[in-house]
């Protein structure tokens, strides 16, 4: 099981805290954890010496409250460890910091990136120093969602003139998230929702507010996305986006730092074959997030692999 050590120390946030009313804010920075209990490693230095996987460290960077990255990080951890690599994790609070860290080689991989639309601005800034390893999932999409009992709100356009009904608030996630920028820069002005305020905090805090409103059967609109376990765990409905201000559906990618394929050729070759369908990804995220407790991600992945033995490409030599 991966051991967690502190590098930069954010507040601890349970992925399920939103369901029971507790939430926290991740601080800016990194929290490192490694399967060998080391010092956080990194992409360079003597820790990556040697000609084969043995003795090489791959550091995965992701935002812990974004559970697509969390789930795929532990899936990759399991398989890369089986190949002989040492795998370490660094949780990062903001997308901009994550892309910068990847471009600078502070982390070797971003396990679940949205580079085509949602994070396009970060790719414009850092993409020259990032290696696109594979698009592993097709059809990801951002959205506004409301509880199912709000039958009269079917489209984002239906929110026009309804600000008083929602106390003038749309509840969002982290300020640096791509969906936050899209909401502020495209969706709110595009649909004439200037009388709404986008309230940013964290993903768990947004889900806590959503749960509280649903429990009280009150009106709320939140920023969500698919694939995301909350889309099925909560009784919500994604609103139609008739003018397309959230952009087209996009693929989720495994991104590496520049030179990843040269430094870790066996890993890069295996990762390039990764593909998950909507059903496969959904079952992975549900297993990691909902079927196991916080801190049991490695055990959750083991269970998922046992139940889905033919989903991933075989390891070298199998």
């Amino acid at each position: 099981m991966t051991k967690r050590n502190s590098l930069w120390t954010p507040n601890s946030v349970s992925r399920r805290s939103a369901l029971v009313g507790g939430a926290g804010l991740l601080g800016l920075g990194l929290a490192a954890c490694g399967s060998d209990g080391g010092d956080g490693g990194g992409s360079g230095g003597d820790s990556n010496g040697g000609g084969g996987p043995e003795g090489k460290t791959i550091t995965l960077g992701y935002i812990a409250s974004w559970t697509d990255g969390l789930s795929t990080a532990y899936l990759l951890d399991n398989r890369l460890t089986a190949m002989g690599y040492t795998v370490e994790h660094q949780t990062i609070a903001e997308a901009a910091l994550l892309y910068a860290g990847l471009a600078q080689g502070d982390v070797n991989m971003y396990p679940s990136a949205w580079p085509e639309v949602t994070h396009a601005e970060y790719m414009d800034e850092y993409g020259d120093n990032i290696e696109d390893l594979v698009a592993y999932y097709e059809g990801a999409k951002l959205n506004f969602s409301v509880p199912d009992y709000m039958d009269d709100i079917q489209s984002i356009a239906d929110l026009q003139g309804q600000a008083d009904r929602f106390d003038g608030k749309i509840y969002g996630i982290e300020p640096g998230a791509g969906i936050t920028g899209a909401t502020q820069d495209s969706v709110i002005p595009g649909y004439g929702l200037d009388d709404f305020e986008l309230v940013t905090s964290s993903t768990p805090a947004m889900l806590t507010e959503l749960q509280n409103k649903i429990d009280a059967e009150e009106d709320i609109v939140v920023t969500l996305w698919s694939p995301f376990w909350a889309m099925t765990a909560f009784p919500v409905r994604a609103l139609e986006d008739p003018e397309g201000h959230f952009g087209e559906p996009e693929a989720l990618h495994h991104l590496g730092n520049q030179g990843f394929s040269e430094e870790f050729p066996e890993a890069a070759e295996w990762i390039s074959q990764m593909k998950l369908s909507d059903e496969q990804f959904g079952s992975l995220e549900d297993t990691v997030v909902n079927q196991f407790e916080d801190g049991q991600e490695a055990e959750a992945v083991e269970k998922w692999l046992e139940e889905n033995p033919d989903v991933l490409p075989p390891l070298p030599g199998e």
Side-chain angles (χ1 to χ4, degrees):
M1 181 174 175
T2 300
K3 183 178 179 181
R4 296 181 176 274
N5 301 305
S6 175
L7 182 58
W8 296 358
T9 309
N11 295 329
S12 176
V13 178
S14 168
R15 300 188 306 283
R16 276 168 292 279
S17 63
L19 301 179
V20 295
L25 295 177
L26 289 174
L28 293 180
L30 311 175
C33 47
S35 55
D36 65 349
D39 62 0
S43 62
D46 293 338
S47 64
N48 288 334
E54 293 77 8
K56 286 182 175 285
T57 297
I58 295 177
T59 303
L60 308 176
Y62 55 93
I63 298 171
S65 61
W66 297 359
T67 51
D68 59 316
L70 178 82
S71 302
T72 51
Y74 278 90
L75 180 62
L76 287 167
D77 184 334
N78 180 287
R79 297 291 78 198
L80 293 172
T81 298
M83 290 173 63
Y85 293 97
T86 295
V87 178
E88 297 183 348
H89 296 223
Q90 287 186 348
T91 57
I92 301 174
E94 293 286 347
L97 292 174
L98 178 50
Y99 279 87
L102 185 63
Q104 294 165 6
D106 296 327
V107 297
N108 300 117
M109 276 194 68
Y110 181 3
S112 187
W114 299 57
E116 298 175 4
V117 178
T118 305
H119 295 159
E121 64 176 309
Y122 300 130
M123 289 299 288
D124 288 342
E125 183 171 0
Y126 299 111
D128 289 344
N129 293 311
I130 290 174
E131 186 174 338
D132 191 348
L133 300 173
V134 69
Y136 79 90
Y137 174 93
E138 301 287 343
K141 193 76 171 68
L142 307 177
N143 68 71
F144 281 178
S145 288
V146 299
D148 284 339
Y149 50 75
M150 296 180 60
D151 294 332
D152 61 323
I153 304 293
Q154 298 290 328
S155 163
I156 299 175
D158 293 337
L159 297 173
Q160 294 173 359
Q162 300 276 353
D164 289 345
R165 179 176 174 181
F166 297 91
D167 294 326
K169 296 176 180 178
I170 297 168
Y171 287 90
I173 58 170
E174 290 78 5
I179 194 171
T180 300
T183 297
Q184 292 172 327
D185 299 338
S186 299
V187 181
I188 286 178
Y191 284 102
L193 305 179
D194 295 333
D195 48 352
F196 281 87
E197 172 196 4
L198 177 63
V199 179
T200 59
S201 54
S202 69
T203 302
M206 178 273 291
L207 292 176
T208 294
E209 190 66 33
L210 176 61
Q211 184 67 66
N212 290 341
K213 294 290 189 181
I214 289 174
D215 289 344
E217 293 192 13
E218 296 177 354
D219 294 340
I220 186 173
V221 57
V222 298
T223 63
L224 283 175
W225 57 93
S226 181
F228 184 33
W229 65 270
M231 290 298 302
T232 55
F234 289 83
V236 295
R237 178 179 65 258
L239 299 182
E240 297 174 7
D241 179 15
E243 298 182 19
H245 289 299
F246 268 129
E248 295 297 320
E250 60 184 309
L252 302 185
H253 293 241
H254 295 321
L255 299 182
N257 63 304
Q258 189 176 42
F260 183 94
S261 293
E262 295 180 6
E263 189 168 7
F264 311 106
E266 301 90 345
E269 173 61 25
W270 182 84
I271 290 168
S272 71
Q273 304 171 62
M274 280 276 291
K275 292 290 181 183
L276 292 177
S277 69
D278 189 62
E279 181 180 357
Q280 292 162 352
F281 182 93
S283 68
L284 171 65
E285 193 173 41
D286 177 67
T287 301
V288 172
V289 176
N290 297 320
Q291 297 184 29
F292 283 76
E293 294 297 322
D294 209 9
Q296 295 182 322
E297 294 86 359
E299 291 90 334
V301 166
E302 288 283 1
K303 178 187 177 185
W304 186 83
L305 288 169
E306 290 174 2
E307 296 175 348
N308 298 271
D310 300 322
V311 170
L312 301 184
L315 297 178
E318 286 187 348

